[in-house]
Amino acid sequence: AAAALALLVARPGRPASRHLGRDAGLALLGALAAAAVFYSSFGANPAGLRDALSAYGQVGNRFGGATGHEKPWWYYLHLFGWQRAGGLVWQQIAFSGLALAGLVAAFAAGRRAPFLRWAAGYALAVVVAYSAVAYKTPWHAVHFVPPFALLGAGALAALGRLRGSVLFSALAALAVAVGLFRQTVRAAFERPADSRNPYAYVHSSPDVLKFRRLAEVALARAPDQPVRVIGEEYWPLPWYFRGLPRVGYWSTPPAGCDGALVIVSATQAGSVRARLRGAYRESFLGLRPGFICIIFTPEP
Protein backbone atom coordinates (compact mmCIF):
# COMPACT_ATOMS: atom_id res chain seq x y z
CA ALA A 1 0.00 0.00 0.00
CA ALA A 2 2.86 2.37 0.80
CA ALA A 3 4.50 1.57 -2.55
CA ALA A 4 1.25 2.28 -4.41
CA LEU A 5 0.73 5.52 -2.50
CA ALA A 6 4.24 6.60 -3.45
CA LEU A 7 3.21 6.57 -7.13
CA LEU A 8 1.10 9.65 -6.40
CA VAL A 9 4.27 11.44 -5.35
CA ALA A 10 6.35 10.15 -8.26
CA ARG A 11 3.70 10.89 -10.90
CA PRO A 12 5.39 8.71 -13.52
CA GLY A 13 4.27 8.74 -17.13
CA ARG A 14 1.82 6.18 -18.45
CA PRO A 15 3.50 2.78 -18.98
CA ALA A 16 4.42 2.07 -22.59
CA SER A 17 2.78 -1.37 -22.51
CA ARG A 18 -0.20 -1.83 -24.81
CA HIS A 19 -1.51 -4.60 -22.58
CA LEU A 20 -1.37 -2.94 -19.20
CA GLY A 21 -4.07 -5.11 -17.63
CA ARG A 22 -2.49 -8.36 -18.80
CA ASP A 23 1.01 -7.31 -17.71
CA ALA A 24 -0.21 -6.11 -14.31
CA GLY A 25 -2.08 -9.40 -13.87
CA LEU A 26 1.04 -11.42 -14.68
CA ALA A 27 3.07 -9.34 -12.26
CA LEU A 28 0.48 -9.92 -9.53
CA LEU A 29 0.38 -13.64 -10.29
CA GLY A 30 4.18 -13.83 -10.03
CA ALA A 31 4.11 -11.98 -6.70
CA LEU A 32 1.43 -14.30 -5.29
CA ALA A 33 3.33 -17.38 -6.49
CA ALA A 34 6.55 -16.19 -4.83
CA ALA A 35 4.68 -15.41 -1.60
CA ALA A 36 3.01 -18.84 -1.63
CA VAL A 37 6.34 -20.58 -2.11
CA PHE A 38 8.01 -18.77 0.76
CA TYR A 39 5.12 -18.72 3.24
CA SER A 40 4.57 -22.47 2.71
CA SER A 41 8.30 -23.20 3.11
CA PHE A 42 8.47 -24.43 -0.49
CA GLY A 43 5.34 -26.55 -0.01
CA ALA A 44 6.55 -28.27 3.18
CA ASN A 45 4.17 -26.25 5.39
CA PRO A 46 0.91 -25.40 3.56
CA ALA A 47 -0.57 -24.08 6.81
CA GLY A 48 1.88 -21.20 6.51
CA LEU A 49 -0.39 -19.67 3.87
CA ARG A 50 -3.26 -19.58 6.37
CA ASP A 51 -0.96 -18.19 9.06
CA ALA A 52 0.22 -15.44 6.72
CA LEU A 53 -3.36 -14.21 6.36
CA SER A 54 -4.31 -14.67 10.02
CA ALA A 55 -1.38 -12.43 10.98
CA TYR A 56 -3.42 -9.42 9.87
CA GLY A 57 -6.03 -10.18 12.54
CA GLN A 58 -3.36 -10.14 15.23
CA VAL A 59 -1.96 -6.90 13.88
CA GLY A 60 -5.44 -5.38 14.11
CA ASN A 61 -5.59 -6.26 17.81
CA ARG A 62 -2.33 -4.44 18.41
CA PHE A 63 -3.68 -1.19 17.06
CA GLY A 64 -6.13 -0.73 19.91
CA GLY A 65 -5.13 -2.72 22.99
CA ALA A 66 -2.29 -2.20 25.43
CA THR A 67 0.46 -4.73 24.72
CA GLY A 68 3.38 -3.41 26.75
CA HIS A 69 5.25 -2.53 23.55
CA GLU A 70 3.98 1.03 23.19
CA LYS A 71 6.64 3.55 22.20
CA PRO A 72 6.63 7.29 21.32
CA TRP A 73 6.08 8.24 17.69
CA TRP A 74 9.76 9.12 17.14
CA TYR A 75 11.07 5.73 18.36
CA TYR A 76 12.14 4.41 14.93
CA LEU A 77 13.68 7.70 13.86
CA HIS A 78 15.68 7.67 17.09
CA LEU A 79 17.11 4.27 16.11
CA PHE A 80 18.46 5.89 12.93
CA GLY A 81 19.88 8.82 14.86
CA TRP A 82 22.46 9.09 17.65
CA GLN A 83 22.20 7.82 21.20
CA ARG A 84 24.54 7.07 24.09
CA ALA A 85 23.77 4.32 26.60
CA GLY A 86 26.11 3.48 29.45
CA GLY A 87 29.19 4.75 27.65
CA LEU A 88 28.34 3.10 24.31
CA VAL A 89 27.39 5.20 21.28
CA TRP A 90 24.90 3.82 18.78
CA GLN A 91 24.42 5.95 15.69
CA GLN A 92 23.45 5.91 12.02
CA ILE A 93 23.78 9.63 11.49
CA ALA A 94 25.73 9.44 8.21
CA PHE A 95 23.30 6.93 6.67
CA SER A 96 20.27 8.94 7.77
CA GLY A 97 21.91 12.16 6.59
CA LEU A 98 22.39 10.67 3.12
CA ALA A 99 18.74 9.58 3.07
CA LEU A 100 17.62 13.08 4.05
CA ALA A 101 19.84 14.58 1.32
CA GLY A 102 18.29 12.13 -1.15
CA LEU A 103 14.82 13.26 -0.07
CA VAL A 104 15.78 16.86 -0.86
CA ALA A 105 17.34 15.82 -4.17
CA ALA A 106 14.21 13.87 -5.13
CA PHE A 107 11.94 16.90 -4.86
CA ALA A 108 14.53 19.29 -6.26
CA ALA A 109 14.84 17.17 -9.41
CA GLY A 110 11.09 17.26 -9.98
CA ARG A 111 9.72 14.98 -12.68
CA ARG A 112 13.20 14.39 -14.08
CA ALA A 113 13.79 11.69 -11.46
CA PRO A 114 10.51 9.77 -11.07
CA PHE A 115 12.10 6.71 -9.46
CA LEU A 116 13.85 8.79 -6.80
CA ARG A 117 10.61 10.67 -6.16
CA TRP A 118 8.89 7.30 -5.77
CA ALA A 119 11.53 6.22 -3.22
CA ALA A 120 10.93 9.48 -1.36
CA GLY A 121 7.18 8.93 -1.30
CA TYR A 122 7.64 5.32 -0.18
CA ALA A 123 10.03 6.35 2.60
CA LEU A 124 7.63 9.01 3.87
CA ALA A 125 4.67 6.61 3.79
CA VAL A 126 6.59 3.95 5.73
CA VAL A 127 7.84 6.45 8.33
CA VAL A 128 4.38 7.89 8.89
CA ALA A 129 2.64 4.49 9.04
CA TYR A 130 5.04 2.90 11.50
CA SER A 131 5.41 6.02 13.62
CA ALA A 132 1.65 6.46 13.95
CA VAL A 133 1.10 2.99 15.45
CA ALA A 134 1.86 2.86 19.18
CA TYR A 135 3.03 -0.79 19.00
CA LYS A 136 6.74 -0.65 18.15
CA THR A 137 9.59 -3.17 18.25
CA PRO A 138 13.10 -2.59 16.86
CA TRP A 139 13.00 -5.29 14.19
CA HIS A 140 10.29 -3.35 12.34
CA ALA A 141 12.95 -0.73 11.63
CA VAL A 142 14.15 -3.01 8.82
CA HIS A 143 11.28 -1.60 6.70
CA PHE A 144 12.94 1.82 6.80
CA VAL A 145 16.24 0.55 5.39
CA PRO A 146 15.37 -0.10 1.68
CA PRO A 147 13.83 3.33 0.98
CA PHE A 148 16.54 5.07 3.02
CA ALA A 149 19.19 3.19 1.02
CA LEU A 150 17.58 4.21 -2.29
CA LEU A 151 17.44 7.84 -1.19
CA GLY A 152 21.06 7.64 -0.04
CA ALA A 153 22.06 6.31 -3.46
CA GLY A 154 20.19 9.19 -5.08
CA ALA A 155 22.05 11.65 -2.87
CA LEU A 156 25.41 10.12 -3.84
CA ALA A 157 24.51 10.33 -7.54
CA ALA A 158 23.50 13.99 -7.15
CA LEU A 159 26.71 14.66 -5.24
CA GLY A 160 28.74 13.10 -8.04
CA ARG A 161 27.06 15.30 -10.63
CA LEU A 162 27.49 18.39 -8.47
CA ARG A 163 31.18 17.79 -7.87
CA GLY A 164 31.78 16.42 -11.35
CA SER A 165 33.52 13.39 -9.88
CA VAL A 166 32.25 9.88 -9.32
CA LEU A 167 35.30 9.27 -7.13
CA PHE A 168 34.09 11.83 -4.59
CA SER A 169 30.73 10.04 -4.30
CA ALA A 170 32.45 6.66 -4.02
CA LEU A 171 34.59 7.90 -1.15
CA ALA A 172 31.53 9.30 0.63
CA ALA A 173 29.72 5.97 0.16
CA LEU A 174 32.74 4.11 1.54
CA ALA A 175 32.87 6.33 4.61
CA VAL A 176 29.18 5.71 5.35
CA ALA A 177 29.56 1.96 4.78
CA VAL A 178 32.53 1.77 7.15
CA GLY A 179 30.49 3.47 9.87
CA LEU A 180 27.57 1.10 9.36
CA PHE A 181 29.92 -1.89 9.37
CA ARG A 182 31.40 -0.81 12.69
CA GLN A 183 27.95 -0.44 14.22
CA THR A 184 26.91 -3.85 12.86
CA VAL A 185 29.94 -5.54 14.42
CA ARG A 186 29.14 -3.94 17.79
CA ALA A 187 25.40 -4.71 17.69
CA ALA A 188 25.49 -8.24 16.24
CA PHE A 189 28.83 -9.69 17.36
CA GLU A 190 30.43 -7.76 20.21
CA ARG A 191 27.34 -6.90 22.28
CA PRO A 192 24.32 -8.80 20.94
CA ALA A 193 22.97 -9.52 24.45
CA ASP A 194 23.92 -6.22 26.06
CA SER A 195 20.99 -4.43 27.71
CA ARG A 196 22.35 -1.19 26.24
CA ASN A 197 21.93 -2.49 22.68
CA PRO A 198 18.89 -0.61 21.28
CA TYR A 199 18.47 -3.00 18.34
CA ALA A 200 18.03 -6.08 20.55
CA TYR A 201 14.75 -6.47 22.36
CA VAL A 202 14.05 -8.38 25.59
CA HIS A 203 17.71 -9.31 25.51
CA SER A 204 18.59 -12.95 26.08
CA SER A 205 21.55 -13.80 28.28
CA PRO A 206 24.52 -15.64 26.70
CA ASP A 207 23.55 -18.46 29.09
CA VAL A 208 20.60 -19.22 26.81
CA LEU A 209 22.98 -21.13 24.53
CA LYS A 210 23.62 -23.65 27.33
CA PHE A 211 20.00 -24.77 27.82
CA ARG A 212 19.79 -26.88 24.67
CA ARG A 213 22.78 -29.05 25.56
CA LEU A 214 21.44 -29.62 29.09
CA ALA A 215 18.09 -30.76 27.67
CA GLU A 216 19.71 -33.09 25.13
CA VAL A 217 21.83 -34.77 27.80
CA ALA A 218 18.84 -35.10 30.14
CA LEU A 219 16.60 -36.68 27.47
CA ALA A 220 19.34 -39.14 26.53
CA ARG A 221 19.83 -40.10 30.19
CA ALA A 222 16.10 -40.48 30.94
CA PRO A 223 14.29 -41.21 27.65
CA ASP A 224 10.95 -41.85 29.38
CA GLN A 225 10.88 -38.57 31.31
CA PRO A 226 9.98 -35.08 30.09
CA VAL A 227 11.88 -31.84 30.25
CA ARG A 228 9.71 -29.42 32.21
CA VAL A 229 9.95 -25.65 31.76
CA ILE A 230 7.99 -23.85 34.49
CA GLY A 231 7.77 -20.10 34.79
CA GLU A 232 5.78 -16.96 34.14
CA GLU A 233 8.25 -16.30 31.29
CA TYR A 234 10.33 -18.75 29.32
CA TRP A 235 10.82 -17.27 25.85
CA PRO A 236 13.09 -17.85 23.86
CA LEU A 237 13.52 -21.40 25.21
CA PRO A 238 10.82 -22.82 22.86
CA TRP A 239 12.98 -21.60 19.98
CA TYR A 240 16.15 -23.21 21.29
CA PHE A 241 14.31 -26.44 22.19
CA ARG A 242 12.63 -26.77 18.79
CA GLY A 243 12.76 -30.33 17.45
CA LEU A 244 13.35 -31.91 20.86
CA PRO A 245 10.78 -34.49 22.03
CA ARG A 246 8.99 -34.47 25.39
CA VAL A 247 9.49 -30.81 26.28
CA GLY A 248 6.56 -29.17 28.08
CA TYR A 249 5.85 -25.64 29.28
CA TRP A 250 3.83 -24.54 32.33
CA SER A 251 3.12 -21.00 33.51
CA THR A 252 2.47 -22.33 37.04
CA PRO A 253 3.81 -25.49 38.73
CA PRO A 254 1.80 -28.62 37.92
CA ALA A 255 0.88 -31.25 40.54
CA GLY A 256 3.82 -33.43 39.50
CA CYS A 257 7.05 -31.59 38.74
CA ASP A 258 9.54 -34.44 38.36
CA GLY A 259 11.27 -34.91 35.04
CA ALA A 260 14.50 -35.58 33.20
CA LEU A 261 15.29 -31.88 33.67
CA VAL A 262 13.25 -29.17 35.39
CA ILE A 263 13.84 -25.53 34.46
CA VAL A 264 12.07 -23.10 36.77
CA SER A 265 11.95 -19.33 37.17
CA ALA A 266 13.47 -18.16 40.44
CA THR A 267 10.12 -16.85 41.69
CA GLN A 268 8.46 -20.29 41.39
CA ALA A 269 11.42 -22.42 42.46
CA GLY A 270 10.15 -22.78 46.05
CA SER A 271 6.80 -24.23 44.96
CA VAL A 272 8.44 -26.61 42.51
CA ARG A 273 11.04 -27.71 45.07
CA ALA A 274 8.25 -28.72 47.46
CA ARG A 275 6.59 -30.91 44.79
CA LEU A 276 9.67 -32.80 43.65
CA ARG A 277 9.75 -36.40 44.84
CA GLY A 278 13.22 -37.37 43.64
CA ALA A 279 16.67 -36.12 44.57
CA TYR A 280 17.91 -33.20 42.48
CA ARG A 281 20.92 -30.97 42.42
CA GLU A 282 20.38 -27.29 41.69
CA SER A 283 22.22 -24.85 39.46
CA PHE A 284 21.55 -21.43 38.02
CA LEU A 285 21.37 -20.00 34.48
CA GLY A 286 20.31 -16.56 33.32
CA LEU A 287 17.56 -16.27 30.75
CA ARG A 288 17.90 -12.51 30.37
CA PRO A 289 19.32 -9.71 32.53
CA GLY A 290 17.55 -9.83 35.89
CA PHE A 291 15.71 -13.09 35.14
CA ILE A 292 17.30 -16.19 36.68
CA CYS A 293 16.29 -19.81 36.13
CA ILE A 294 16.86 -22.61 38.63
CA ILE A 295 17.90 -25.87 36.95
CA PHE A 296 16.87 -29.05 38.78
CA THR A 297 18.92 -32.01 37.51
CA PRO A 298 18.14 -35.52 38.88
CA GLU A 299 20.90 -37.04 40.95
CA PRO A 300 22.49 -40.08 39.27
Side-chain angles (χ1 to χ4, degrees):
L5 185 63
L7 291 175
L8 299 178
V9 177
R11 293 186 296 169
R14 181 176 176 81
S17 172
R18 298 179 181 178
H19 307 284
L20 184 58
R22 181 201 65 185
D23 294 342
L26 289 174
L28 180 61
L29 183 62
L32 292 175
V37 166
F38 283 108
Y39 278 114
S40 67
S41 298
F42 288 82
N45 179 33
L49 298 174
R50 178 202 62 210
D51 295 341
L53 295 175
S54 67
Y56 290 100
Q58 297 185 35
V59 169
N61 294 333
R62 292 174 178 174
F63 279 120
T67 63
H69 302 286
E70 288 75 22
K71 306 285 190 303
W73 69 267
W74 41 260
Y75 171 76
Y76 291 118
L77 295 179
H78 190 47
L79 289 180
F80 286 91
W82 186 96
Q83 54 188 301
R84 180 187 293 273
L88 294 177
V89 172
W90 309 87
Q91 60 86 19
Q92 299 190 50
I93 290 292
F95 177 64
S96 301
L98 267 185
L100 186 60
L103 186 69
V104 174
F107 289 100
R111 302 194 67 173
R112 293 173 296 164
F115 181 73
L116 191 59
R117 283 175 65 90
W118 174 86
Y122 179 60
L124 291 173
V126 166
V127 168
V128 169
Y130 278 91
S131 298
V133 178
Y135 180 95
K136 294 180 177 68
T137 51
W139 50 82
H140 286 144
V142 71
H143 296 288
F144 292 60
V145 175
F148 282 15
L150 290 174
L151 289 175
L156 290 170
L159 182 62
R161 290 192 296 269
L162 185 65
R163 301 283 299 189
S165 171
V166 175
L167 179 61
F168 188 83
S169 293
L171 291 175
L174 180 62
V176 174
V178 168
L180 290 175
F181 178 78
R182 181 69 190 93
Q183 289 289 300
T184 299
V185 170
R186 172 175 293 174
F189 298 99
E190 293 178 352
R191 299 184 180 274
D194 197 306
S195 60
R196 295 170 292 179
N197 184 340
Y199 310 112
Y201 200 57
V202 191
H203 312 69
S204 298
S205 164
D207 279 354
V208 78
L209 300 175
K210 302 176 182 178
F211 283 92
R212 171 90 184 195
R213 181 56 182 165
L214 288 175
E216 290 174 339
V217 171
L219 290 171
R221 184 178 58 244
D224 58 336
Q225 294 290 320
V227 170
R228 297 184 186 273
V229 182
I230 305 169
E232 60 278 16
E233 295 182 45
Y234 43 70
W235 188 259
L237 290 183
W239 169 257
Y240 286 98
F241 288 164
R242 66 192 186 280
L244 291 181
R246 301 186 311 283
V247 178
Y249 302 90
W250 290 262
S251 57
T252 57
C257 293
D258 290 272
L261 186 73
V262 185
I263 302 169
V264 190
S265 65
T267 56
Q268 300 193 32
S271 299
V272 170
R273 190 180 291 112
R275 301 184 189 192
L276 293 173
R277 297 184 179 89
Y280 292 81
R281 65 175 182 269
E282 299 183 23
S283 56
F284 302 85
L285 284 178
L287 190 63
R288 64 180 61 93
F291 194 94
I292 303 299
C293 289
I294 313 299
I295 313 299
F296 293 92
T297 306
E299 293 284 2

